[in-house]
Amino acid sequence: MDRTDLKDKAQDQAQDTPALGRAELSLTVRTAVSEVLGTEVDDIDETTDLGNDFGIDSLELMDVGARLENALRVKIQVSDLLEARTVGDAVDLLERRMERPV
């Protein structure tokens, strides 16, 4: 399965499944980040610190947030995005948001 197939699978699951497992949610986050930063999904894991490892800026972070909102159909607060230092933090945030939408 190539990167595009994984991305499509994660997006399909996100749209069709009310509750994603952590692995699928992590893949969705990593895919959004990789698209915005122009890197490979495999270069990103849950311990990746987006600021220190990739120098992500606030505009790129907002782009990631918008992609996640569209893919997962969940509202993400700007303040929450800015607090998520690592990909794992973002996954944790999304797990909470999907349980209790804003």
Side-chain angles (χ1 to χ4, degrees), residues 2-77:
D2 68 8
R3 179 177 165 212
T4 303
D5 291 338
L6 287 173
K7 175 185 157 201
D8 292 342
K9 180 179 176 185
Q11 287 177 341
D12 289 345
Q13 287 175 339
Q15 292 173 358
D16 297 335
T17 306
L20 293 177
R22 186 167 183 96
E24 293 88 1
L25 194 53
S26 179
L27 176 60
T28 302
V29 172
R30 291 177 21 236
T31 300
V33 170
S34 72
E35 289 173 348
V36 170
L37 297 178
T39 189
E40 295 295 321
V41 173
D42 293 337
D43 293 339
I44 301 166
D45 61 31
E46 287 201 26
T47 64
T48 300
D49 183 315
L50 298 174
N52 289 333
D53 296 341
F54 286 97
I56 195 168
D57 64 32
S58 59
L59 292 177
E60 290 168 324
L61 194 57
M62 296 299 293
D63 190 1
V64 169
R67 289 169 189 257
L68 292 172
E69 284 183 338
N70 288 331
L72 300 172
R73 299 174 189 233
V74 63
K75 180 71 177 152
I76 305 169
Q77 298 296 322

Side-chain angles (χ1 to χ4, degrees), residues 77-91:
Q77 298 296 322
V78 173
S79 58
D80 290 337
L81 279 174
L82 297 173
E83 288 177 15
R85 287 186 51 92
T86 66
V87 171
D89 292 341
V91 173

